[in-house]
Amino acid sequence: PEAPVIAVDGPTASGKGTIAERVAASLGWRYLDSGALYRIVALEALRAGIDTADGPALAALAQGLAPRFEGRRILVGGEDVTEAIRAEEVGIAASRLATQPLLRAALLALQRRARAAPGLVADGRDMGTVVFPDAILKVYLTASVESRAARRHKQLMEKGFSATIADLSKDLAERDARDMQRAEAPLKPAEGALVLDSTHLSIDETVDAVLGAYRRRV
Ligand code: C5P
């Protein structure tokens, strides 16, 4: 049988990455940050002047990239892009090009290849609905726009980027709308997903809720 997957989906800045990484560490499983793949394509497309609506060109670009995940660092063609892909403009471009079905198809195999024993925790928008529909546990992690904007603000400040909470709230709301309304793999809770609102939960409480749900399933 294939290695088990825990899928963690949810809107931008809901804390999916932190929670998924900690759940993976606690189980000793691998971790896949699928958003990073969309961000890598966005960064390279911005650099190459490829339009975020040009599906065929984006798919070709994605097929030619061979990102390497080394611990917390992400390398593309020998360049460390860990910080560059976190810029707000890259996230916005990523959410635009993520509406392209050809690009999503090109990234599908790459994501499925991350599945390996003893297990994988994958975070994104369509982990439970499209990429790993047979996940043993599907989590839909959400939080209020205000608390997500405040978290994203803190993260960006720590990384040396500047932004205002008001601009971030507006960007988040636009990205949520784009991710939820697109025809291809829209963001929504997978069937049977555990829906967790982390607005009033600490990181530890959220991680424990996911681990508890997993243990009840095995
Ligand atoms: O999660 P993150 O903000 O890094 O993802 C960047 C963008 O990539 C998201 O706004 C979303 O539009 C897109 N994405 C996606 N499907 C995924 C992961 C990310 O469409 N599985």
Side-chain angles (χ1 to χ4, degrees):
E2 288 213 78
V5 174
I6 295 178
V8 183
D9 291 305
T12 303
S14 57
K16 305 180 299 292
T18 306
I19 302 306
E21 242 189 312
R22 296 212 187 184
V23 169
S26 148
L27 294 170
W29 290 10
R30 288 205 199 189
Y31 164 60
L32 170 69
D33 172 4
S34 66
L37 299 175
Y38 288 87
R39 287 171 177 271
I40 289 167
V41 177
L43 177 68
E44 298 300 331
L46 287 170
R47 286 174 172 176
I50 296 172
D51 196 283
T52 52
D54 188 344
L58 293 167
L61 176 66
Q63 256 136 17
L65 298 171
R68 290 202 340 258
F69 292 83
E70 294 188 352
R72 298 181 141 245
R73 315 301 305 174
I74 302 174
L75 302 172
V76 178
E79 182 194 348
D80 187 332
V81 298
T82 317
E83 273 84 38
I85 62 166
R86 296 298 153 197
E88 205 53 17
E89 85 222 39
V90 174
I92 292 166
S95 97
R96 291 185 192 283
L97 55 78
T99 62
Q100 295 301 315
L102 284 176
L103 171 66
R104 301 198 71 86
L107 291 179
L108 203 54
L110 202 60
Q111 296 171 81
R112 290 189 175 146
R113 273 206 296 277
R115 184 175 199 164
L120 175 72
V121 184
D123 91 61
R125 303 293 185 292
D126 61 344
M127 298 298 99
T129 51
V130 175
V131 182
F132 302 110
D134 62 338
I136 186 162
L137 173 66
K138 300 175 183 183
V139 178
Y140 188 83
L141 190 64
T142 181
S144 69
V145 175
E146 297 74 30
S147 68
R148 291 190 286 124
R151 276 181 204 161
R152 178 52 56 92
H153 185 254
K154 187 163 164 269
Q155 275 174 6
L156 288 172
M157 293 298 118
E158 283 163 6
K159 289 179 176 136
F161 294 112
S162 66
T164 68
I165 299 214
D167 284 346
L168 288 172
S169 300
K170 190 168 151 278
D171 284 349
L172 284 184
E174 278 173 19
R175 273 157 76 175
D176 288 352
R178 220 168 8 246
D179 288 346
M180 291 174 182
Q181 286 160 16
R182 67 183 178 216
E184 192 77 12
L187 172 64
K188 61 172 180 200
E191 220 179 290
L194 167 73
V195 178
L196 271 180
D197 183 334
S198 71
T199 307
H200 303 292
L201 293 179
S202 68
I203 291 175
D204 284 344
E205 286 168 334
T206 313
V207 168
D208 286 347
V210 175
L211 287 172
Y214 168 67
R215 291 201 182 100
R216 283 193 294 277
R217 250 160 239 222
V218 290

